[in-house]
Amino acid sequence: MSERKVLNKYYPPDFDPSKLPKLKLSKERQYVIRTMAPFNMRCKTCGEYIYKGKKFNSRKETCQDQTYLGLRIFRFYIKCPRCLAEITFKTDLENCDYEMEHGATRNFEAVRLAEKQAEQEQKEKDDEIASNPMMVLEKRTKDSRMEMERLEQLEELRDINARHASLDHSNVLTFHMEYEKQLQKLQDDEDEKFIKLVTLTNAGFSLDIIIMHIAGVCSSSSH
C-alpha cells in the first residue's frame, strides 16, 4: 500500500529516456471519461427516462469526417442504466448544443424548436428587408423616429433629475411642518366650536343666540 503512494520513483544511473518505446496511438482511439447527460432523453429500447445531469462512464471519440469551422466534433457513447443499450450523441457547435444520434430520443424540445423557428423567421424578415429598398427606407425612418423618442425621454429624465437635485430638503421639511401645524390649529378650532355648540344646546339657549355667540367668538379669535 505504501509503495503506490510515493511521489518519487527510483531511476537507475544508466536510465536513458530516449530508449523508451513510443506509443503509436490511433487517431480514432476512444477515451473513457466521466460525463453527464446534456439533455433529457428516453431510451428507445426500454423506455427509461434519463434526466439531464445524470452521470455516466462514457467513451469519447473524435468524429474524423465532421468539423465545424475547423473545430473538431466529439461523439459520446453511454449506456442506458436500465437495459444497458448503447446511446450516442455528439456536440453541435453550430447551435452551441448537443445532437442526439441514436439509441434514445430527446425530450422537451418545444422551447428549443420555438427559439429556432423565431430565429429563422427573423432571418427571413431581415433578408426580405435587405432585398426591398422601400422596406429598408421604412425601417430606417422607423429607427430614426424611435431614436428621437428615446432622446426626448432622456432629456425629460435629465430635467426631472435636475429639479430634484436643486430641491432643498430642509425647506421641504419646514414647509411640511408648518402645514401640519395649520391643520392642527384648524382642527382644534373646529373641536372648540363643536364643544360650545353642545354646551349651549344643553343649557337651553335658542339657535339664533348660539349662532351669534359662535360668530362673535370666531371674530374675536380671528382678531
Side-chain angles (χ1 to χ4, degrees):
M1 290 292 292
S2 61
E3 292 180 359
R4 70 180 181 85
K5 293 182 180 180
V6 296
L7 300 178
N8 299 324
K9 303 294 183 180
Y10 173 73
Y11 296 97
D14 57 348
F15 176 73
D16 188 3
S18 62
K19 295 181 179 180
L20 294 176
K22 296 182 179 180
L23 295 177
K24 295 181 180 180
L25 300 177
S26 175
K27 293 183 179 180
E28 299 180 359
R29 65 183 182 274
Q30 296 181 348
Y31 299 92
V32 178
I33 63 172
R34 187 75 169 169
T35 186
M36 294 187 295
F39 44 74
N40 298 311
M41 64 185 79
R42 185 181 183 185
C43 179
K44 290 182 179 180
T45 306
C46 63
E48 176 74 7
Y49 286 96
I50 302 173
Y51 59 87
K52 179 180 179 180
K54 186 175 179 61
K55 295 181 179 180
F56 292 93
N57 291 325
S58 64
R59 292 179 289 117
K60 185 191 80 169
E61 70 177 9
T62 304
C63 300
Q64 298 298 327
D65 56 343
Q66 298 179 10
T67 57
Y68 177 74
L69 299 179
L71 301 176
R72 294 177 295 176
I73 295 178
F74 298 105
R75 181 181 289 111
F76 300 89
Y77 298 85
I78 62 174
K79 290 185 178 180
C80 175
R82 183 176 179 183
C83 65
L84 300 180
E86 192 173 63
I87 300 172
T88 64
F89 56 90
K90 61 183 179 180
T91 55
D92 186 7
L93 301 179
E94 183 178 1
N95 300 317
C96 299
D97 199 1
Y98 289 84
E99 181 182 354
M100 194 74 222
E101 280 196 317
H102 74 273
T105 57
R106 185 170 179 173
N107 298 334
F108 308 113
E109 289 190 293
V111 177
R112 189 171 68 91
L113 293 176
E115 292 177 354
K116 190 173 182 180
Q117 184 178 0
E119 292 177 359
Q120 184 67 23
E121 292 177 355
Q122 184 65 29
K123 185 178 180 180
E124 293 177 357
K125 185 177 180 180
D126 294 340
D127 294 340
E128 183 181 0
I129 291 175
S131 61
N132 192 344
M134 293 301 296
M135 295 187 69
V136 172
L137 181 60
E138 183 180 354
K139 184 176 183 299
R140 191 178 303 169
T141 306
K142 185 178 179 180
D143 293 341
S144 61
R145 188 183 301 112
M146 291 179 63
E147 185 177 0
M148 292 296 295
E149 291 178 357
R150 293 194 186 98
L151 290 175
E152 290 177 359
Q153 293 177 0
L154 183 60
E155 290 294 333
E156 185 177 356
L157 290 175
R158 287 177 179 175
D159 294 340
I160 294 174
N161 292 334
R163 287 198 299 269
H164 288 174
S166 61
L167 188 63
D168 191 359
H169 297 283
S170 60
N171 293 336
V172 174
L173 292 175
T174 304
F175 177 77
H176 183 70
M177 292 175 64
E178 293 292 335
Y179 180 71
E180 291 290 337
K181 289 180 180 179
Q182 292 179 3
L183 286 180
Q184 186 65 32
K185 185 177 180 181
L186 292 175
Q187 186 66 31
D188 294 340
D189 294 341
E190 292 293 333
D191 294 340
E192 185 178 358
K193 290 179 183 179
F194 180 75
I195 292 172
K196 289 182 177 180
L197 176 62
V198 173
T199 303
L200 295 174
T201 303
N202 294 333
F205 290 96
S206 63
L207 183 60
D208 296 335
I209 297 175
I210 293 173
I211 293 174
M212 291 174 62
H213 180 74
I214 293 175
V217 170
C218 293
S219 61
S220 62
S221 61
S222 62
H223 291 296

